[in-house]
Amino acid sequence: MEHKLGIIGYGGMGSWHHRNSVKVPGLKVTGVFDIDEKRLQAAKEGGLTIYTDVKDFLEKGDFDIVLVSTPNNFHKYYAVMAMDAKKNVVCEKPVALNISELDEMIAASKRNNVLFTVHQNRRWDKDYRIVKKILEDGTIGKPYTIESRVHGQNGVMHGWRAYKVAGGGMLYDWGIHMIDQMLYMVKEPVTEVYCQLFSVKTPEVDDYFKLILRFESGLSAQIEVGTYCLEKMPRWYVNADQGSVIVKDWSCEGKMTKASQIVMEWEPEIVQTVGGPTRTMAPRPKESLEELPLPEITSEWAEYYMNVLAYLEGREEINVKQSEIRRVMQVVEAGFSSDRLHQSIKCRI
Ligand code: NAD
């Protein structure tokens, strides 16, 4: 069965969806609406039917799914309009600017009985899938801290991302992906949110943030995004009660270290280390540690659309569910409140 996609906003990401669609059997992009003449021209050259009026696009366009990939502040407006025109909607992240906008979108999907989901494509990132698999398999035991970081060096926020009115800033931009990854991996309620936002090089919005989530079991997750970190920290760093994991970057270099089965006879005397005399921080004998490679994972962003099509054909549950999208948005709102109030927010999300 063939499904057709119409795109609202044929910029960097909208055109990426078009290019990527060839990897999804049964999906064909047919039409585009944009307000920029140059972007419409690019879509036309790519073989798509173009529209300069959104009503024409929704009434005459030959598609059953609409992708909304405009700047963030227009997501709700177009998504609701498309759902009221009885189209299924895939919305780019961040789904909306707040819970109240999101609830209007969810209501539109219910009232029109159409699909409404979000392109949380980073659920299929290889680095993330590796960490998720290690934790799900219990390879290093029970985690007590999970650190997820993305560090850039350029100190630049491109175009509308630098402006508050457009829903700019890193908590909305990268934060939303990383919160979604964390909540999709740790199946527990979030009980506390603490967040600090900085505007290091971008005056209007956050270009660095640090977000700490405490889960019900006590597990602590730290999510950090910086656009001006000239020395980068690893993408993932996890500590659990039987080992640790580092995934350095998106190329998925890294390793797992586990405590070996050898029973250690601890050195009773203080150890003279380069850092001074210490027992607690003295290096562990090498033979008491076991270094393991990261598991091999294959994962493709195209799987996102494969699931959307399978859902529309009644073959699978939708992967990115409205209840999950709402939880992520609740964490974002709690993050903004925490930064504003300079205190952590107790919650049950
Ligand atoms: P962009 O600026 O490259 O493209 C935005 C497009 O929307 C442009 O073609 C612009 O002309 C058009 N546009 C602007 N205002 C409009 C309006 N009122 N009506 C119709 N069209 C309008 O931005 P981008 O990087 O493509 O980002 C678009 C969306 O995709 C954002 O929500 C962003 O967060 C998201 N995104 C997601 C990922 C991901 O990995 N999932 C990656 C990048 C961007």
Side-chain angles (χ1 to χ4, degrees):
M1 191 169 166
E2 188 171 68
H3 291 271
K4 293 179 183 162
L5 184 77
I7 298 177
I8 300 182
Y10 194 74
M13 203 54 195
S15 57
W16 177 89
H17 281 263
H18 181 199
R19 285 193 303 280
N20 189 60
S21 64
V22 298
K23 296 186 190 159
V24 185
L27 183 66
K28 188 176 177 209
V29 180
T30 57
V32 162
F33 163 68
D34 199 299
I35 52 165
D36 182 338
E37 188 53 43
K38 287 198 195 104
R39 297 313 304 154
L40 286 173
Q41 194 51 37
K44 194 173 178 185
E45 283 161 17
L48 305 179
T49 308
I50 56 169
Y51 298 86
T52 52
D53 182 299
V54 70
K55 291 204 174 93
D56 274 356
F57 166 83
L58 291 172
E59 276 170 21
K60 300 179 188 153
D62 175 24
F63 42 79
D64 56 330
I65 311 169
V66 167
L67 165 75
V68 179
S69 58
T70 59
N72 304 337
N73 52 323
F74 300 115
H75 287 182
K76 185 207 81 175
Y77 175 74
Y78 286 124
V80 169
M81 193 184 280
M83 286 188 273
D84 283 340
K86 306 291 178 205
K87 304 291 184 190
N88 299 298
V89 166
V90 169
C91 187
E92 260 304 347
K93 48 51 61 175
V95 62
L97 302 189
N98 51 51
I99 290 281
S100 127
E101 283 194 354
L102 173 57
D103 284 347
E104 284 186 51
M105 296 159 106
I106 291 174
S109 101
K110 294 204 187 325
R111 134 175 113 240
N112 293 296
N113 195 24
V114 290
L115 170 67
F116 168 58
T117 187
V118 177
H119 189 231
Q120 292 294 358
N121 48 318
R122 291 195 176 276
R123 286 190 185 188
W124 284 268
D125 279 9
K126 205 171 152 194
D127 56 282
Y128 166 63
R129 286 288 171 131
I130 287 171
V131 173
K132 189 165 179 283
K133 179 170 172 46
I134 292 170
L135 296 185
E136 279 171 1
D137 290 353
T139 321
I140 55 166
K142 193 170 178 299
Y144 56 91
T145 59
I146 305 176
E147 298 181 17
S148 167
R149 288 192 175 79
V150 170
H151 284 167
Q153 297 177 312
N154 296 325
V156 182
M157 304 272 284
H158 294 281
W160 54 265
R161 281 179 177 76
Y163 299 96
K164 217 178 174 72
V165 67
M170 279 295 127
L171 188 57
Y172 280 135
D173 196 48
W174 272 91
I176 211 102
H177 278 303
M178 296 159 78
I179 296 165
D180 180 67
Q181 288 182 334
M182 200 62 81
L183 300 193
Y184 190 57
M185 177 162 67
V186 181
K187 306 283 184 200
E188 291 178 33
V190 177
T191 55
E192 191 174 357
V193 175
Y194 180 69
C195 186
Q196 289 182 329
L197 305 174
F198 292 76
S199 299
V200 181
K201 300 277 178 187
T202 322
E204 258 199 44
V205 295
D206 59 292
D207 53 11
Y208 172 98
F209 74 83
K210 186 180 286 186
L211 175 74
I212 298 173
L213 308 180
R214 185 181 283 274
F215 288 91
E216 193 172 42
S217 67
L219 168 64
S220 169
Q222 177 165 333
I223 297 174
E224 186 191 38
V225 173
T227 54
Y228 196 68
C229 302
L230 303 190
E231 290 292 347
K232 297 185 184 192
M233 300 267 282
R235 174 73 186 84
W236 293 94
Y237 174 51
V238 182
N239 284 307
D241 62 4
Q242 290 167 40
S244 300
V245 176
I246 282 193
V247 183
K248 285 194 192 151
D249 49 31
W250 286 302
S251 71
C252 299
E253 257 186 66
K255 65 179 176 185
M256 229 183 317
T257 303
K258 289 187 69 174
S260 74
Q261 299 307 311
I262 296 168
V263 178
M264 290 182 39
E265 299 240 347
W266 295 104
E267 172 60 66
E269 296 303 323
I270 203 151
V271 181
Q272 302 302 323
T273 72
V274 280
T278 173
R279 286 186 182 87
T280 314
M281 297 302 164
R284 243 180 112 119
K286 271 221 152 28
E287 58 278 14
S288 77
L289 294 173
E290 191 184 0
E291 285 190 3
L292 299 169
L294 299 175
E296 288 293 327
I297 295 282
T298 49
S299 187
E300 266 277 355
W301 281 6
E303 289 173 44
Y304 173 83
Y305 270 113
M306 290 177 195
N307 169 256
V308 167
L309 301 199
Y311 169 79
L312 292 176
E313 292 166 17
R315 291 184 281 110
E316 284 178 21
E317 271 188 20
I318 194 71
N319 183 278
V320 182
K321 297 180 177 53
Q322 292 177 2
S323 56
E324 296 168 345
I325 299 164
R326 202 168 187 284
R327 277 186 83 208
V328 173
M329 205 69 227
Q330 283 178 291
V331 169
V332 168
E333 279 201 353
F336 281 124
S337 300
S338 165
D339 176 70
R340 200 170 47 247
L341 300 169
H342 288 219
Q343 65 184 40
S344 76
I345 306 291
K346 299 276 192 289
C347 54
R348 195 168 174 84
I349 296 173

